[in-house]
Amino acid sequence: MAPNIVGDIKSAVARAHGMTDEAWKRHANPWSVWTRFAAVPAFELAIWSRTWIGWWSLVGVAVVLVWLFSLNVRMFGPVEPVCWSARGIYGEQLHVTGQAPAEHKAVLNYLMATGLVGFALIAWGLAALQAWPLVLGTMMVVLAQLWRIDRYGLLFQRHQETHRSERAA
């Protein structure tokens, strides 16, 4: 995907989720970040559980989806960018608002592509009830996301340094 298309998609997703400045600050809360990571295996387990509990597995899927898309960003208070994960989410906001330089966009696009391949492996593993694509896909998604957060943190720090030097001049 071209970088501008990816940015447009991210902006549209952010708007659809009502990502105001306040919501971004809540989204940056480390509890919010790490519980989103914890939702990945919970979601996978909910889907896999269809073999044990049948249609009742949809209750678990619904709980995880409500957590991710409704409750998570509302449950935790807003934070300033003082820890690694918070700086990463603040950097993600810069990317979504089109403030990421080209060198960041290229790496971020590769990481997003890696995450999409991982997601496809997860879907295959869950559909076929095969552990190896599920585990490999989960590792790819989580590692790509961690790396993205790290890159976003670097983007945020660079942005802060640029604004500090502009104010000093």
Side-chain angles (χ1 to χ4, degrees):
M1 269 187 201
N4 59 343
I5 293 172
V6 171
D8 292 345
I9 291 169
K10 287 186 72 67
S11 294
V13 169
R15 280 192 308 276
H17 286 95
M19 293 303 286
T20 62
D21 282 340
E22 178 72 12
W24 277 107
K25 289 179 180 180
R26 290 175 171 276
H27 191 60
N29 187 306
W31 283 100
S32 177
V33 172
W34 296 114
T35 56
R36 288 193 305 273
F37 274 101
V40 173
F43 185 74
E44 294 169 349
L45 180 61
I47 293 174
W48 194 287
S49 72
R50 74 186 187 276
T51 62
W52 310 308
I53 59 175
W55 288 103
W56 285 103
S57 64
L58 295 177
V59 173
V61 171
V63 166
V64 173
L65 292 175
V66 167
W67 170 253
L68 285 174
F69 295 107
S70 184
L71 298 176
N72 180 280
V73 79
R74 291 173 178 82
M75 293 262 318
F76 304 108
V79 297
E80 294 301 317
V82 294
C83 68
W84 175 83
S85 58
R87 285 190 302 272
I89 301 304
Y90 273 67
E92 181 180 15
Q93 182 182 13
L94 293 173
H95 183 215
V96 168
T97 58
Q99 299 177 59
E103 64 270 15
H104 280 275
K105 289 179 184 178
V107 173
L108 292 168
N109 287 340
Y110 288 125
L111 292 171
M112 283 186 255
T114 301
L116 287 173
V117 170
F119 182 77
L121 285 167
I122 290 170
W124 172 26
L126 289 171
L129 295 174
Q130 294 284 321
W132 77 264
L134 177 65
V135 171
L136 179 60
T138 301
M139 288 174 42
M140 289 176 71
V141 166
V142 169
L143 290 173
Q145 185 62 13
L146 287 169
W147 196 351
R148 282 179 60 225
I149 290 172
D150 191 60
R151 292 294 302 196
Y152 283 138
L154 294 172
L155 171 62
F156 179 74
Q157 286 177 304
R158 179 177 170 181
H159 180 77
Q160 291 295 97
E161 290 165 3
T162 300
H163 278 87
R164 259 184 257 146
S165 63
E166 287 173 359
R167 283 188 298 240

